[in-house]
Amino acid sequence: MSDQMKDRMKDIVSLCKRRGFIFAASDIYGGINGFWDYGPLGVELKNNLRDRWWHDMVIAPPLGLDGTPISIVGLDSSIIQNPKCWEASGHASGFNDPMVDCKESKKRYRADHVVVLIPKDGQGYALAFDKDAEDIEIEKRLKKLAKNKSISDFDRKSLDQIPVEDFPNIIAPDTKKAGTLTEPVQFNMMFKTTSGAKEGSDSEVYLRPETCAGIFLNFKNVLDSSRVKVPFGIAQIGKAFRNEVTPRNFIFRSREFEQMELEWFCAEEDVPKWFDFWVEQRTNFWLSLGIPKSELHFLDVPKEDLSHYSSRTIDVEYRFPFAAPDFDELEGIAHRGNYDLTQHQEFSGQKLDYFDQAENKRYLPHVIEPSTGLTRGVLALICEAYTVDENRPSGVYLNFHPSMAPKKAAILPLTAKPHHVEPAQKLYMELRDEFVVDLDIKQNIGKRYARQDEIGTPYCFTIDNETLEDHSVTVRDRNTMEQQRIPLDKVKAFLREKIYG
Ligand code: GAP
């Protein structure tokens, strides 16, 4: 990260705290790494993004490939599920132990599943094998890589017992050269807790590491209780928890966060067209919120980096300041195949297949999953909105899309005298049912404008002496700082047009 961008992130974090967007969780106790609280303005911004996603997915989903609205239903599943769910999804085994990556073969190993043969004479490299490797297989490899030494010339240790400083001296299981293993990382990404009064392994449960699991578990319930037919989607927004090894970059990677996920169920042969459809839809979503195309990048995730369940993923990346001039992930659009339904069907013993009446056949639908972080989206909106402008007293303003701005307007009586305050209060009462508006009475008007600029309020209405004479108000535009007068009774219509129009 360049120094300039480091400063940019620092300024953003500081503005977020100063103006009440985002605070460190447990701030008065010195914080807690990876956890954040959303203040009065942060929660409005987050709700705006959440509501917009829900609207565009569930309330008014896009028109599909045939020009008619597609079908998506909502869900709000429990954060804690039966622990078998995580065995089926692969999270229980994959997330629980120190893992070591090989930079050469791109393979990942559980450190305690790798056995290392260390030469007794201290000469040459140590050799790593799968712990279940047969002696005959070991001997074969020793012949090639260890000058015809045999098993008895080595001591055995498990990789998790070997200090990291010695890793450069180890030839990994699937390579021919030493020094390709990374440091072990604790991949116990799931937070564990207990359910019920009795502690013990029977009562151990996990906080979900992604929201989508609840969707797969309820696939059959939704099919049986609604009139949906494949293709259709189930959407969910909610908290997810990951014990990230290195939470970083403010709310970008945190240990508690929120996701907005759609699982789109379709026939396998239709996957390519629906995949392209969702990439386009999701791109349009971010563009419509004021993220310019130039700040987005689409990464066709290389095969070796794909998650275990995915055969294709496109990451929609945004140029976050800490990544600039590069990009980092904002959303992933994954083809999950029918991995999840297959796994849950097997582990639960319940049939999860779909019966297609028209074709008279049963099958497990494939899934395309656009999945984005709500909290990460909030960070993208704040970073994009942050605009330096030395020509205004605040020096900076947040250029939010009006529909995302936490406050849609501020009503500012010029003075705190009753003849200014009373009409301001009246206007506030008229607007507040429909818009989140601020009535800010005290302080000089310049300071009040500066505050509204810093929190990204698109319009300020000022009540002054002229208001008393001709029933008009001044509207100040946040971006241009231009002022115009409009009739008091047209303020609501003005806001409607600017915000929804
Ligand atoms: N169900 C698929 C899934 O969870 P993911 O790529 O691990 O896929 C999807 O996560 C999105 O969730 C990411 O694109 C990101 O926006 C958000 N996300 C993931 N981990 C996060 C974290 N630790 N903090 C904040 N957001 C996170």
Side-chain angles (χ1 to χ4, degrees):
M1 194 186 335
S2 70
D3 284 351
Q4 196 194 352
M5 284 302 142
K6 234 186 244 165
D7 288 349
R8 168 62 60 92
M9 272 318 285
K10 249 199 235 153
D11 292 344
I12 288 174
V13 175
S14 135
L15 182 142
C16 281
K17 177 166 185 183
R18 186 158 36 87
R19 290 304 187 190
F21 282 90
I22 298 162
F23 310 120
S26 306
D27 209 4
I28 59 169
Y29 290 103
I32 167 167
N33 197 8
F35 296 88
W36 300 92
D37 292 340
Y38 290 76
L41 296 178
V43 69
E44 295 295 344
L45 174 61
K46 183 153 69 69
N47 288 351
N48 289 342
L49 181 56
R50 177 199 68 185
D51 293 348
R52 175 63 193 280
W53 188 93
W54 193 259
H55 172 272
D56 287 10
M57 286 297 190
V58 182
I59 316 264
L63 303 185
L65 301 168
D66 64 359
T68 63
I70 57 172
S71 160
I72 300 181
V73 292
L75 182 79
D76 185 5
S77 70
S78 183
I79 285 172
I80 292 176
Q81 300 284 354
N82 187 313
K84 277 195 189 148
C85 161
W86 310 116
E87 285 173 35
S89 67
H91 288 95
S93 51
F95 276 45
N96 265 332
D97 293 284
M99 307 294 281
V100 172
D101 286 335
C102 175
K103 288 179 271 189
E104 178 82 7
S105 69
K106 306 285 181 228
K107 291 203 173 162
R108 174 169 287 176
Y109 310 97
R110 261 178 68 166
D112 61 336
H113 282 184
V114 175
V115 62
V116 183
L117 302 192
I118 304 155
K120 285 181 181 161
D121 61 7
Q123 304 294 310
Y125 291 115
L127 272 143
F129 296 86
D130 185 277
K131 76 174 182 4
D132 296 321
E134 307 267 344
D135 280 0
I136 182 161
E137 200 185 317
I138 296 180
E139 290 283 12
K140 239 166 108 186
R141 198 153 159 251
L142 289 182
K143 250 191 198 145
K144 280 194 203 146
L145 296 173
K147 296 219 179 83
N148 295 330
K149 278 182 182 163
S150 76
I151 293 182
S152 57
D153 298 318
F154 293 85
D155 290 321
R156 269 175 194 250
K157 268 193 181 171
S158 168
L159 183 60
D160 58 339
Q161 298 169 322
I162 294 185
V164 174
E165 303 81 81
D166 294 343
F167 276 25
N169 207 30
I170 299 173
I171 302 177
D174 297 282
T175 66
K176 292 180 186 149
K177 63 176 194 197
T180 60
L181 290 176
T182 63
E183 275 185 36
V185 182
Q186 197 68 33
F187 263 81
N188 185 2
M189 300 267 276
M190 283 199 294
F191 283 97
K192 210 186 269 183
T193 183
T194 52
S195 167
K198 238 177 39 191
E199 289 220 358
S201 58
D202 285 356
S203 57
E204 262 176 13
V205 291
Y206 300 94
L207 306 190
R208 66 183 175 199
E210 50 183 19
T211 56
C212 60
I215 295 182
F216 298 119
L217 299 192
N218 281 291
F219 176 70
K220 195 168 176 336
N221 283 337
V222 172
L223 270 186
D224 293 348
S225 60
S226 336
R227 293 167 64 80
V228 285
K229 283 200 176 81
V230 170
F232 75 98
I234 306 180
Q236 167 153 245
I237 300 176
K239 293 252 182 185
F241 303 81
R242 291 183 197 175
N243 200 358
E244 296 283 0
V245 181
T246 46
R248 64 185 171 92
N249 294 327
F250 196 26
I251 57 171
F252 177 81
R253 187 180 307 291
S254 48
R255 291 184 169 142
E256 175 176 339
F257 54 100
E258 279 175 78
Q259 286 187 313
M260 309 190 285
E261 298 200 292
L262 168 72
E263 307 304 315
W264 178 252
F265 299 95
C266 63
E268 184 175 3
E269 59 271 24
D270 294 336
V271 162
K273 50 189 185 189
W274 284 117
F275 191 91
D276 292 346
F277 173 85
W278 281 113
V279 172
E280 191 188 334
Q281 291 297 326
R282 298 304 305 144
T283 307
N284 290 342
F285 176 83
W286 293 112
L287 297 181
S288 75
L289 299 182
I291 308 262
K293 199 144 197 189
S294 59
E295 302 306 293
L296 291 177
H297 176 254
F298 299 87
L299 175 75
D300 212 328
V301 178
K303 286 262 174 298
E304 60 273 20
D305 295 341
L306 289 172
S307 306
H308 58 288
Y309 50 73
S310 174
S311 54
R312 186 175 180 207
T313 297
I314 288 202
D315 281 349
V316 181
E317 299 184 315
Y318 170 67
R319 202 195 306 269
F320 289 99
F322 54 78
D326 294 327
F327 301 80
D328 214 330
E329 181 183 338
L330 173 61
E331 169 155 358
I333 298 152
H335 173 210
R336 289 181 81 114
N338 55 15
Y339 171 83
D340 302 271
L341 291 179
T342 306
Q343 289 290 103
H344 289 302
Q345 177 165 275
E346 188 186 324
F347 278 69
S348 67
Q350 303 279 326
K351 281 246 161 277
L352 298 181
D353 53 2
Y354 171 76
F355 179 60
D356 185 331
Q357 284 177 330
E359 302 267 329
N360 196 25
K361 65 172 190 191
R362 291 191 170 275
Y363 64 96
L364 288 175
H366 273 230
V367 167
I368 293 159
E369 176 195 63
S371 165
T372 189
L374 169 56
T375 42
R376 198 175 280 186
V378 164
L379 181 60
L381 293 183
I382 293 175
C383 292
E384 188 56 41
Y386 191 90
T387 311
V388 174
D389 179 2
E390 274 145 19
N391 294 325
R392 61 177 81 203
S394 56
V396 67
Y397 66 104
L398 294 183
N399 173 18
F400 287 126
H401 188 281
S403 66
M404 290 294 110
K407 302 273 181 186
K408 304 300 182 222
I411 301 159
L412 311 174
L414 189 62
T415 70
K417 302 218 170 88
H419 62 280
H420 289 149
V421 171
E422 279 160 22
Q425 282 169 331
K426 194 162 165 262
L427 180 60
Y428 168 73
M429 291 308 286
E430 262 175 45
L431 296 179
R432 67 172 201 167
D433 267 345
E434 192 171 332
F435 305 101
V436 181
V437 286
D438 220 8
L439 173 62
D440 191 2
I441 296 175
K442 293 215 171 100
Q443 239 181 10
N444 83 46
I445 192 80
K447 283 202 173 137
R448 281 182 283 164
Y449 281 148
R451 176 173 182 278
Q452 297 299 337
D453 279 352
E454 270 203 312
I455 68 174
T457 308
Y459 301 103
C460 289
F461 298 105
T462 307
I463 312 286
D464 52 21
N465 289 340
E466 253 183 277
T467 313
L468 311 179
E469 287 160 20
D470 64 2
H471 302 286
S472 68
V473 288
T474 301
V475 191
R476 176 183 179 273
D477 181 291
R478 173 197 64 202
N479 291 9
T480 61
M481 293 191 287
E482 273 168 17
Q483 306 198 1
Q484 54 164 315
R485 289 203 75 91
I486 63 166
L488 196 51
D489 61 6
K490 293 277 185 311
V491 168
K492 208 176 209 174
F494 174 92
L495 272 183
R496 275 188 193 143
E497 203 237 298
K498 295 288 183 188
I499 288 155
Y500 315 129

